[in-house]
Amino acid sequence: MSPEDEEKAIEATKAPLMDHLIELRGRLIKAIAAFALAAIVCFFFAKYIYNVLTWPYIWVAGPENSKFIYTGLLEYFIVQLKLAMFGAAFIAFPIIAGQIYMFVAPGLYRNERHAFLPYLVATPIFFLMGAAIVYFVVWPMLTRFSLGMQQLGGPDQATIELLPKVEDYLSLMMKLVLAFGIAFQLPVILTLLGRVGLITSDQLKSKRRYFIVIAFVIAAILTPPDVLSQMSLALPLVALYEGSVWSVRWVEKRAAAERAASAAAATAKPAE
């Protein structure tokens, strides 16, 4: 499709402001309905989901030493509500993202739609990768570190035993999942910035040593104060940064090829 045809296609999709607002309302209603339905389903399975979230703790502590408590009358109920909302955000994200894409897609050129869609798909994939690192790597390390701080009672010392609260356990896991999930968006963000021309692969390569320091600082803030936990976040971040350099370089080569093809087509057209 030529640029003139794309311009005509976009002009054909233009509508009065009221029509856009009506469409936006419909998209929002569908997104909210998807989130609400997912939240209701997750609430009915909240206890099972919470049990799954406790598995990393049980792997380290053992079933006989795995005991969780709650001290408020409605604390466990509130935890289930939070868990339902958290699970609904995961489940409903494809539908919500799809509604956003379908709303903005008519106003984009075909090449812009093709460029935007991969980032929309990559975002939840990299978020799940970050969540998997928390679940299978960071959380067992955190559990092992916390259990190691317990103190057996004796003649001159009190017994200090770890009894996790259900709300504290879920809150910390949610914070770590969000932190790692957002941190793992690094390749998506950098590649998108490279595609629009705000950064280049050469700039990323020149700033590599600074990012390595930043990665370990971020890991020191977000993870428990032990070397293994910090390395579990810092090393993936460095690897993602290196992957971003390669991805931005690939985007640059593809953009250069497209410009060369467009220039060749433009020079060949008058000759015809």
Side-chain angles (χ1 to χ4, degrees):
M1 183 182 292
S2 65
E4 293 79 7
D5 294 333
E6 290 189 359
E7 289 281 358
K8 292 179 181 179
I10 292 178
E11 289 292 334
T13 61
K14 287 187 175 180
L17 177 61
M18 186 59 64
D19 291 343
H20 285 298
L21 293 177
I22 292 174
E23 182 184 2
L24 177 60
R25 183 187 64 179
R27 301 293 182 194
L28 289 175
I29 290 175
K30 292 178 181 178
I32 294 173
F35 179 83
L37 180 61
I40 293 173
V41 173
C42 288
F43 180 77
F44 282 105
F45 293 95
K47 291 183 178 180
Y48 301 99
I49 298 174
Y50 194 91
N51 287 334
V52 172
L53 295 180
T54 61
W55 285 352
Y57 185 92
I58 298 174
W59 295 339
V60 177
E64 67 281 356
N65 298 319
S66 299
K67 181 180 180 180
F68 293 79
I69 64 170
Y70 60 94
T71 57
L73 294 178
L74 297 177
E75 181 179 340
Y76 192 34
F77 175 75
I78 299 299
V79 166
Q80 294 179 52
L81 288 178
K82 289 182 179 180
L83 193 56
M85 304 281 277
F86 193 62
F90 276 93
I91 296 174
F93 178 82
I95 298 176
I96 296 173
Q99 293 299 317
I100 295 174
Y101 177 77
M102 286 187 287
F103 180 73
V104 301
L108 301 175
Y109 292 110
R110 184 178 61 176
N111 62 332
E112 292 174 336
R113 290 196 295 269
H114 287 260
F116 181 69
L117 190 58
Y119 299 102
L120 195 63
V121 175
T123 297
I125 293 176
F126 279 92
F127 192 95
L128 289 175
M129 288 172 57
I133 292 293
V134 172
Y135 189 84
F136 293 105
V137 180
V138 176
W139 204 258
M141 291 181 180
L142 175 61
T143 301
R144 193 173 293 108
F145 175 81
S146 301
L147 290 173
M149 298 183 65
Q150 295 183 115
Q151 177 176 286
L152 297 176
D156 300 320
Q157 60 184 18
T159 299
I160 301 177
E161 185 179 1
L162 175 63
L163 292 175
K165 292 181 61 178
V166 292
E167 184 173 9
D168 293 344
Y169 185 92
L170 178 64
S171 297
L172 182 56
M173 178 167 280
M174 288 171 57
K175 290 177 182 177
L176 287 177
V177 167
L178 288 175
F180 275 65
I182 294 173
F184 270 61
Q185 300 303 311
L186 183 68
V188 179
I189 296 172
L190 292 181
T191 306
L192 183 59
L193 293 177
R195 186 174 183 86
V196 299
L198 293 179
I199 60 173
T200 65
S201 58
D202 292 334
Q203 289 175 338
L204 293 178
K205 286 189 289 186
S206 66
K207 306 297 183 184
R208 179 185 288 118
R209 60 183 181 274
Y210 301 112
F211 181 80
I212 292 175
V213 176
I214 293 173
F216 278 90
V217 171
I218 294 174
I221 294 173
L222 297 181
T223 60
D226 64 274
V227 177
L228 291 178
S229 298
Q230 294 174 10
M231 296 287 283
S232 66
L233 177 58
L235 292 182
L237 282 178
V238 173
L240 289 171
Y241 187 84
E242 293 297 328
S244 301
V245 175
W246 176 87
S247 179
V248 172
R249 186 185 301 118
W250 178 79
V251 167
E252 291 171 346
K253 291 180 179 179
R254 185 174 179 180
E258 290 176 353
R259 288 194 298 267
S262 300
T267 55
K269 190 173 182 180
E272 296 174 359

